[in-house]
Amino acid sequence: EDGRVLVWDPAEKLKYPVIGFNLRFVLNKMTMPINPTCFANSPQESFEFLLGTYDGNIYKCAFPKPDSESGSNQDYIFAEKNGVVWREKVRTLICNMKEKEILEMKNIIETICLDKGLINLDIEEFFKLRPDVSKIYKNALKAHFEKHFALPTSIGYNSYIRNVFLTTSYDGSLRLYHGERPAAKFFYEKFVNEQSEENYYTYGTWSPYKPSLFVHTTSKGEIGFEILVSRNVCKNVLTIKDEKEKMIKKVAFNPNETNYKDKIAFAYEDGTIEVGSLSEAFNKVGNNEIEKMYKIVSNI
């Protein structure tokens, strides 16, 4: 809710983020944090992702890949050590700052280090000095898509067709987007018209193994498997309903393509998880299926 995305390395036991970015609306020189409600990584671009926000907006975010080379590009700035050695991970963390900003921070931090008798500045010690992270973390928002009428509950990328994703929302709609166009398509209109506040979409995701197959869930424990037939037409191939009508918050296909790729998991609001098996037809690319998907999304 602070409008920030942080990237962590588990090898460091989550003591500190290795890099971070702000999620801000830019109003002249003023910035305001946004409130994310859902998140999805791009399967094609490792450092691109999508966000749904509390006010119904959908944003594309991106940032340069953080690595040791990014930090080494600032060697000339740190040539004069002034008694303090800046370690590689600290320099990688601040690599997206402007040269002037790095110099200003360098002078402030080194003054504090010398007062404390600190010679080697690693990233853990750096965060202990409480630097101004609003300057370190740059804005990651890159594009804006047509908003929902209520907060989005999920975003799911298609693994086969670049820039195609679907969203679900409290407004009862399930939408299809193409990342190169801002407008959305209400491609599941039957459900849109039947939805109510008591039964709304809670999650939607594409199958990683079948291009045209996606799964959606609702607040009443309904699970629908659909095939995208055309821009606004879907064919239901399987529907499952929980007897107790428990809300489903998350659906996950097994990402392991060699072992148990037929498994699918459903996470319920009460904290329970169910794992099921799908038939081969759900995990197999059909004849000309990818080509058909390209034709559909080209008309979005």
Side-chain angles (χ1 to χ4, degrees):
E1 293 184 358
D2 62 1
R4 187 170 292 154
V5 55
L6 303 177
V7 183
W8 304 78
D9 182 357
E12 303 295 341
K13 299 181 180 179
L14 305 184
K15 293 180 180 178
Y16 47 78
V18 295
I19 199 166
F21 285 84
N22 289 316
L23 307 170
R24 309 276 169 165
F25 297 115
V26 179
L27 299 174
N28 297 324
K29 294 184 179 180
M30 300 290 290
T31 57
M32 299 174 58
I34 66 174
N35 188 338
T37 60
C38 54
F39 173 96
N41 283 314
S42 168
Q44 289 91 17
E45 301 294 339
S46 299
F47 288 86
E48 288 187 2
F49 57 94
L50 294 168
L51 281 176
T53 62
Y54 190 81
D55 57 2
N57 280 297
I58 305 292
Y59 291 96
K60 177 182 178 181
C61 304
F63 53 91
K65 180 180 179 181
D67 53 31
S68 57
E69 183 178 348
S70 301
S72 65
N73 290 337
Q74 311 293 352
D75 280 345
Y76 66 96
I77 297 178
F78 295 92
E80 186 178 352
K81 295 183 172 57
N82 294 331
V84 179
V85 177
W86 291 65
R87 294 303 180 186
E88 180 181 295
K89 289 184 178 180
V90 186
R91 292 161 62 174
T92 299
L93 178 73
I94 65 176
C95 68
N96 290 310
M97 296 175 62
K98 295 178 180 178
E99 179 180 341
K100 180 181 178 182
E101 295 172 335
I102 294 177
L103 286 169
E104 291 175 352
M105 178 169 288
K106 180 176 181 291
N107 292 332
I108 294 173
I109 294 296
E110 286 182 349
T111 299
I112 298 173
C113 287
L114 293 175
D115 288 342
K116 293 179 174 291
L118 185 62
I119 299 175
N120 292 309
L121 184 63
D122 60 23
I123 194 168
E124 186 172 358
E125 290 293 338
F126 179 72
F127 275 109
K128 287 180 180 178
L129 298 178
R130 298 189 176 280
D132 186 353
V133 294
S134 65
K135 294 182 178 179
I136 298 173
Y137 300 154
K138 296 303 180 180
N139 199 347
L141 298 183
K142 299 300 180 183
H144 176 228
F145 301 97
E146 182 181 353
K147 67 184 295 183
H148 278 277
F149 297 108
L151 67 87
T153 53
S154 73
I155 303 176
Y157 271 104
N158 189 292
S159 297
Y160 289 82
I161 313 297
R162 182 182 294 272
N163 291 326
V164 171
F165 61 95
L166 59 82
T167 62
T168 60
S169 170
Y170 279 139
D171 66 12
S173 66
L174 197 157
R175 297 185 180 184
L176 180 65
Y177 290 81
H178 191 290
E180 295 180 358
R181 307 175 185 91
K185 293 297 179 182
F186 294 81
F187 74 106
Y188 208 174
E189 294 182 334
K190 183 181 72 170
F191 252 78
V192 172
N193 294 332
E194 292 178 357
Q195 290 293 338
S196 67
E197 293 183 0
E198 290 74 32
N199 190 21
Y200 53 84
Y201 286 111
T202 57
Y203 198 81
T205 187
W206 293 96
S207 165
Y209 305 119
K210 190 171 181 63
S212 61
L213 176 68
F214 67 92
V215 182
H216 63 75
T217 64
T218 73
S219 57
K220 291 293 186 179
E222 298 171 345
I223 306 168
F225 292 79
E226 317 288 336
I227 295 290
L228 184 62
V229 178
S230 66
R231 186 175 60 176
N232 289 311
V233 178
C234 299
K235 177 183 178 182
N236 178 269
V237 291
L238 177 66
T239 298
I240 305 171
K241 184 173 176 60
D242 180 75
E243 294 181 357
K244 297 182 180 180
E245 297 188 346
K246 296 183 296 184
M247 181 185 296
I248 301 171
K249 302 288 287 186
K250 175 85 173 182
V251 179
F253 288 84
N254 190 346
N256 191 324
E257 296 186 26
T258 56
N259 296 312
Y260 306 108
K261 65 181 290 186
D262 63 322
K263 302 302 180 185
I264 187 170
F266 306 96
Y268 292 85
E269 187 179 37
D270 64 358
T272 59
I273 296 175
E274 295 182 356
V275 178
S277 299
L278 297 172
S279 68
E280 184 179 356
F282 286 81
N283 297 314
K284 185 178 180 180
V285 180
N287 293 332
N288 300 320
E289 184 175 354
I290 297 178
E291 289 80 358
K292 291 178 182 177
M293 278 291 292
Y294 271 114
K295 290 182 180 179
I296 293 173
V297 300
S298 65
N299 293 320
I300 298 175

